[in-house]
Amino acid sequence: MSIALEHINYVYSPGTAYEKQALKDVCLEIPQGQFVGIIGHTGSGKSTLIQHLNGLTRATSGRILYEGKDIYEEGFDMRWLRSQVGLVFQYPEHQLFEVDVLSDVCFGPKNQGLSQEECEERAKEALELGGFPEKYYRQSPFELSGGQKRRVAIAGVLAMRPKVLVLDEPTAGLDPKGRDEILDQVERLHKETGMTVILVSHSMEDVARYVERIIVMNRGEKMLDGTPREVFRHYKELEKVGLAAPQVTYVMHDLKERGFDLSPDATTIEEAADEIMRSLS
Ligand SMILES: Nc1ncnc2c1ncn2[C@@H]1O[C@H](COP(=O)(O)OP(=O)(O)OP(=O)(O)O)[C@@H](O)[C@H]1O
Ligand SMILES: [Mg+2]
């Protein structure tokens, strides 16, 4: 039960003046249930990469296996794959258009050909997972705050009951409160449902707090892949490609250089505080 990418290459507009190789020999495997962050500078290939996961974009070369099945093999059911791997695009709230929240969340399941009753049941379940009480069901999505709108859009994908949820920059353009709302919701979802979550972001800080694994993309290549601790140990290389480790990593390395006897590997403020307290006592 996993998604595996084997030597994936992707070239936009091949054979034209606009030819651009966006993915270069990417190999990775994501087991079911993992919470993964994909990080990279703008243009590093993050969006291109995740659009391969549900077959929306077809690799120029290489293989993708979903639960062991080659998705490019003849007869593979792409519709089924799209119901398994739910993709939430950047600014998904731009795609809200129904008269009320419940109808909007029903849209995906309706497209899957389910009955009205089944659609509503799934929509309610998805809204509940998203922390929306019933009083919101009949409200217009346009009356909600930015963070709430986005959570409705995410619920729209959840209503299709995917096994894998892929979110492309879900916090882009939100204020800190909206950002925490989204990330806390996603974390809760992951804990409660055990679904695989793949979160694209360019904020290390955001991702470090939540995910168990970080994949760093650079110019179409997979540059680093490991736990947040493992990845942030390479903070000097990350800087060279325009990324930074969380601020707390710098503080810890500074303290260590100034002679504090501590491990500089903390990736969150809480871990750093514990480590500093430990070294002082
Ligand atoms: N439709 C397209 N046609 C041609 N080139 C494209 C197209 N879409 C993306 N690219 C190029 O492919 C590369 C990877 O783009 P991609 O959108 O995957 O990066 P990204 O990491 O998601 O960036 P961002 O952080 O800005 O969202 C970039 O160089 C980009 O300019
Ligand atoms: Mg992108």
Side-chain angles (χ1 to χ4, degrees):
M1 297 276 269
S2 69
I3 305 178
L5 273 62
E6 296 178 350
H7 304 286
I8 294 299
N9 287 288
Y10 185 75
V11 182
Y12 282 106
S13 317
T16 73
Y18 302 101
E19 180 168 312
K20 169 84 202 176
Q21 181 156 12
L23 294 176
K24 292 176 199 155
D25 198 37
V26 176
C27 297
L28 55 91
E29 183 166 357
I30 299 174
Q32 180 65 37
Q34 204 167 49
F35 194 169
V36 188
I38 299 181
I39 304 275
H41 203 257
T42 181
S44 59
K46 304 180 297 294
S47 296
T48 308
L49 176 68
I50 58 163
Q51 283 163 23
H52 280 75
L53 301 179
N54 73 347
L56 194 65
T57 299
R58 192 192 167 105
T60 308
S61 66
R63 283 209 314 168
I64 298 182
L65 304 176
Y66 182 76
E67 295 185 350
K69 293 186 210 78
D70 185 338
I71 72 166
Y72 299 141
E73 204 141 84
E74 221 181 287
F76 182 86
D77 188 352
M78 280 291 181
R79 249 181 94 102
W80 173 76
L81 181 66
R82 292 202 183 126
S83 71
Q84 298 279 300
V85 181
L87 191 56
V88 181
F89 290 96
Q90 207 172 335
Y91 298 106
E93 65 274 22
H94 292 169
Q95 286 156 33
L96 298 175
F97 64 93
E98 291 278 5
V99 288
D100 61 39
V101 166
L102 190 66
S103 314
D104 226 309
V105 177
C106 278
F107 183 76
K110 222 185 255 171
N111 259 345
Q112 289 179 310
L114 300 172
S115 71
Q116 181 63 24
E117 209 183 357
E118 175 82 348
C119 290
E120 287 205 4
E121 190 189 313
R122 287 184 173 212
K124 285 177 182 168
E125 171 193 280
L127 284 164
E128 215 164 282
L129 272 172
F132 279 102
E134 219 175 313
K135 66 169 185 187
Y136 286 103
Y137 292 1
R138 294 295 164 201
Q139 210 165 318
S140 160
F142 302 100
E143 290 163 5
L144 304 174
S145 74
Q148 285 173 328
K149 272 188 205 154
R150 204 163 286 181
R151 281 163 50 212
V152 169
I154 295 173
V157 171
L158 290 175
M160 293 186 274
R161 293 197 185 148
K163 283 203 180 131
V164 180
L165 180 67
V166 188
L167 302 140
D168 197 352
E169 302 267 8
T171 60
L174 295 181
D175 58 16
K177 183 167 168 282
R179 187 190 63 199
D180 290 347
E181 250 176 53
I182 297 275
L183 293 175
D184 289 346
Q185 181 211 345
V186 171
E187 184 181 41
R188 215 172 40 242
L189 252 176
H190 175 249
K191 279 198 183 128
E192 284 172 12
T193 66
M195 73 170 77
T196 309
V197 178
I198 301 172
L199 181 71
V200 172
S201 172
H202 49 243
S203 162
M204 289 287 189
E205 223 107 359
D206 270 7
V207 165
R209 264 208 334 228
Y210 295 95
V211 304
E212 46 195 309
R213 172 182 178 191
I214 293 179
I215 295 169
V216 180
M217 295 297 297
N218 181 40
R219 295 172 184 264
E221 289 179 274
K222 188 176 88 170
M223 177 183 158
L224 294 168
D225 184 353
T227 63
R229 264 166 205 265
E230 284 162 357
V231 166
F232 297 146
R233 263 180 219 146
H234 299 269
Y235 69 106
K236 290 200 171 128
E237 289 151 65
L238 290 172
E239 267 173 16
K240 280 191 203 130
V241 299
L243 293 167
Q247 275 176 339
V248 53
T249 303
Y250 294 90
V251 172
M252 296 302 274
H253 279 274
D254 260 10
L255 288 173
K256 189 172 165 72
E257 270 166 36
R258 289 176 198 201
F260 280 81
D261 174 25
L262 48 70
S263 153
D265 281 350
T267 57
T268 64
I269 293 184
E270 291 75 19
E271 279 172 25
D274 287 348
E275 181 59 13
I276 291 170
M277 289 310 283
R278 196 198 53 73
S279 95
L280 290 176
S281 63

